Each structure stands twice: as structure tokens, then as C-alpha cells.
Amino acid sequence: VPLQKQVTDFMHRLRDPKFVSANGLNGERLLENADPSKVIYSFLLVEATPAGNFIRVQADNFAAPFDFNRSVKLELGSTAKLRTLTHYFEVMAELHRALSGLDSKQLAERGASARDPLTRWAVETLQNEKDLALQPFLDAAMARRYSASPYEDFFTGGGVHRFENFDKDDNERIVSLQDAFRNSTNLVFIRLMRDLVGYHRARLPYNSDDVLANPANPERRRMIGEIAEEESRQHLRRAFQNYANQTPDEILRRILGKGNAERRLAILFFAWKIGSTPSQLKAWLEKNEMTATEAEVAKLFRAYQNPRLTLSDYAYLLSIHPLDLWGAGELRKEPSLAWEKLYAASTEARRIASAWLLENRNRRAQDLRLRIRMEKDAFNRMTPYWQKLGFPFKTLVPTYATAIGSSSDRPVALAELVGILVNDGVRRPSVSLTEVHFAEGTPYETVLERLPEPGEQVLAPEVARTVRKAMANVVEGGTARRLNGVFKLSNGQVITVGGKTGSGDNRFETFSRGGAVTSSRATNRTATFAFYIGDRYFGVVTAYVQGREADHYRFTSGLPVTLLKLLAPTLLAKMDGNLQQPAAAPAIDKTKPAKPAGKAISFSNSQNSPWPIGSFNKPAWN
């Protein structure tokens, strides 16, 4: 409790410009001259024990009833590289298990049939040294080299993207994963994520290469049909959102837009089946304040009454999507029509709207959509791996940019990942309460005690140790080097500190057709440092500015790293004795009175289920 109070007081003092200046927090890539009162800080410190991960400090300076560590969803930038690197070694451990027992002939066969670069590398490595154990295999995997060049277009996330390095000096380099993680080199991790996507894509229940190459592949036809149905549903849903609960006149005005109103009204007359004769067309035009001579009406009638014209043809003439046209027509007739009824009535309209995609002559459009679908399927296969290591959301954003933060995260979830690494791959429950004691000394005295929960081995210990070593390199000579040597115990021992920095300048940008940015609006700015201290403590420090105010800030992950450095003396005063001895389960306080028989209730307060009753004895009420 005293440590919690000290950290909380420190965070509130960070709003004071004098305190900020006195502690050197207004330097370059820190707060500079920006208003310190707008920055939200959070701090989480956890102690790893055999009985669970005990939360020691959970603090922020956010003046509202909201748990900033656990409830917020943020793009935390390059801390996602920690998840990406951990997953990479998890995949490498899988490959080692699958391949290390094979003989030379079997390895050669697996190498010949491999459809992803990670499997090919693993086969080649084990062919060169067949009895290679897991740890040296992972060390070799860490030494793999990637280009950091930003001059490549990547087809990912539904389109073509380019990425940049934070340090322009990296642009011409080819670097190892170890160096890229230490210095947070973006393009290396974009390419690593591409390889990971390739690994999962090669293990999908269909052969993705044959689906793309073979027009007769039955799986291709099935997938194209599903994609067409999904697109149709999305377009119809958008039309419903645009036109629901509007008057017929409002819908008509939106559809007419700009252009030749008489021509567009005539097209709508036939598309919506308003009538079938020239006189009905003339009445429709006049109803909508368009005067036309008999000759003009006859000309419009001849041009657009062709029975061979379909919904798609009329939509093409109006330059809108067929389902936008159809949905507007249905909602014009019945403005209060529910989505379910609209969708149920749209079977034929959806078939017409998507028919073009099913034609073999549109193979380029098919292949584009198939590549997008395959990337989504690969990320869906990857997601359970991340969730097992504490990723807090149901889905990953299917883009290589997930390696640099596009799938977002939560501070407490990052801390859970670091806890798994500190615990040699064991995922243990987070514990904030061990006992609650009610009505002491009364007939209603009740004690709730936490049920012990076993940890789950979710990573190979070798993987955890390899990633911890990489995190230590970040502090020793990388993006968090200002912490190097800071945590020194009273006996002179320097405690190993490891971590991963991350920052995000998140913006809403508008581009011209040529690709130039025409407007840029900040939505938020984040900076995070996920860390461990020795073999006992771990946590996360986060700085955050919300909304357009973020445009005035230039801080990077150097800010949370500096905050942890400033907090080091306070933390060491509490940690010193513990860090000089191995972790152990908390001792039982023998001074407490024995608990009354029949009045003890046990509970579990793991992170996923805070208060389920595990077991209880019925109190012996008097």
C-alpha cells in the first residue's frame, strides 16, 4: 500500500511543469514544451511468485472511475514486436519438434514440399546439423537476417502498403533479428510477419497456391462464392444504414445526386419499376418537378426501357452499386423496413450484383479477393497463439502492420506476456486479493481465501529464456539503454532489466489520388515500456494523450523509460530484500487467530474470472 501511494503521488506530480522541468522530462523526445497536465500515465508492477503473479502496484493519474491498465484499447506501437518475436520462436519450437526426429531422406522430402520460408530454413538448418538441440536452434533463428529496406510495396491488409523505419540510417541495412529487436527496426518485423503469415497460410485446410493457380480448383469456386456473398451483404448493409428511416423524397434526392436529373429519373423509373408506359414516365418526371416534351419523354423511354437491362446495368448507368440502388428502392417503398426483412428479400438482387465476380474472365478481381481472404485465414490461424500468451482481443487485424502495433493491446495484457516470459513459459493467474475477512469477532465472521490455481505451461522454457535475453539487450544497448545499470541493490549487485519500447502517433489522414497527404489529424499519441526487473518483478509504464491535443506532443517511448528510471529508487527500496533471495510463496501469518470452523469460503480471482466461488462451507449461524 505505501508503494502504491508513492507511485500514484509521483504520477500526479507529473502534471506540474516545475516538477517536470526539475526531473529533466522536458527534453527532446520527452515532453519538450507541451502541456504536462494533458498526459495520462499508468503504471503496473507485478511480482512473480509460485502462488501466482501478485499485483503490487496498479496506478494511474486518470481522474475518473476507469481502470486505465485493464480496460483501455490502445495502439502501443513497437511493443507488438515483443508479441511477434515470441510467436516467431513459438513457431520455430514447433518446427524443431516436428523435424528434429526425421532422418536425412525425410528431411529432404519435407524441404521439397515446404511452401513457406520458415519451414525451408528449419529443414536446411537441421540438415546441416541433425542433432541440434532446441536452444542452439533458437539461437540460430535469432541470428537470421532480414532487409530493413523501406523501398518495397507490400500487398497486405486489403491493399498495397509501404512502411518506414524510425531511424532512416537503417534503410540500407540487412540486420539480424537480434539487432532489429534491440533497435526496433520496423521493416525487419514487417518482413518477419510476412514469413509468419506464410507459415500459417501453408497450413490452412486448403492449398492456397493451387487455389490461386488453378481456375478449376473446387475450393476456389467455393471461396469466390463466399467472398461474393460477404461483399454483397456488406454493400446491402451500407445501403440500409444510408437510407433507413428516411422519407421517399430524401432517398430520391440522395440517389439523384449531381448530373442530368431527367436522365437519372428515367433510369430510376425503370430500375424501381415505377411504371411501364411513356405516359407513366412523363407523370413520374412531372411529379419530381421535371418538365419534358412528348419527344423528350419518348427518347428517354426508348433509351432505358430495354428489357435486357438488369439491376447491374441500371446501377452502372447511375454510377452506384447495384445493391445501393435496390436497397434505396425497397426502403423508398417502406421506410421503416427492418434489416432482417430487407436482407431476406434481397436474394435475387444479391445474385445479380455478384454475378460478375463469378465469371472466369474476371480472374484478376478474383485473385485479388482470394489473396485478401487467404491473409485473413492465416491471421485467424495465428490468433489463438497470441491469445494463449495474453492477447486481449478476439481477432488480429489482418495486416503485416500488426507487427508494429495495428492490432492494438492493453497494458495489463502486455504485462501478462512479460510474466509468462519471466516464469519460464508458465502462465500464472494474476492475484490482487489473497484474503477478505468480514465481521471479525462477531457471530457472522466470514473469511474468503483465494483458491490456489496451478500455472499452465504455454511456452517452451527455451523460448521464454531466448526472448528475455533479447529484452535484456534492449536495455543494455538498445532503445531503453538509459535504464542500463540503474537497478543496483544495496549489496552492489546490478539487477538485469529487460524490456520492449513502443510508441504510436496515431492519425486520421486523407490522401490525394496521387498519394500525397492532403490532411492529417491526430487521434492520440502513446508511448509504452513493458519490462522485467530481475527474476521477480515485471510490469508496464504507459503515457497517453487523447484527441487532437496529441498533435502538440512529440514524446516517444523514451518518456516511459525515463519515468521508470525516476521511480527506480522508490521501487528498489521495496524490492531490495526480495531481489537478493529467490521467489517463494507468501508465508502464512502465524499471529492471526485461527479461522472459525465452518465459516471459511474459498474463491478464485484469476484475471479471466475475477470472483467465481470455488468452494465454501455453510456458515454455522447462531
Side-chain angles (χ1 to χ4, degrees), residues 58 110 148 235 273 325 380 390 398 407 445 531 580 588 600 617:
Q58 183 168 308
R110 289 292 297 270
H235 281 294
K273 297 180 173 54
L325 174 61
N380 287 339
S407 287
E445 183 171 4
F531 63 88
Q580 294 186 42
I588 297 173
N617 295 321

Side-chain angles (χ1 to χ4, degrees), residues 28 45 52 211 219 265 329 391 459 462 495 563 580 582 597:
E28 185 180 2
L45 181 70
V211 165
E219 193 70 19
L265 279 168
F391 182 70
L459 274 181
E462 294 88 345
I495 295 298
L563 295 184
Q580 294 186 42

Side-chain angles (χ1 to χ4, degrees), residues 75-78 404 502-506 524-528 555-557:
E75 287 192 19
L76 297 177
S78 290
I404 56 176
S503 56
D505 178 22
N506 303 304
N524 61 67
R525 191 172 189 91
T526 61
T528 309
F555 62 77
T556 66
S557 53

Side-chain angles (χ1 to χ4, degrees), residues 11-17 20 36-40 61-63:
M11 289 188 166
H12 282 286
R13 293 185 71 188
L14 290 171
R15 296 179 178 273
D16 181 357
V20 166
S37 68
K38 303 293 185 181
V39 186
I40 298 169
N61 66 343
F62 186 59

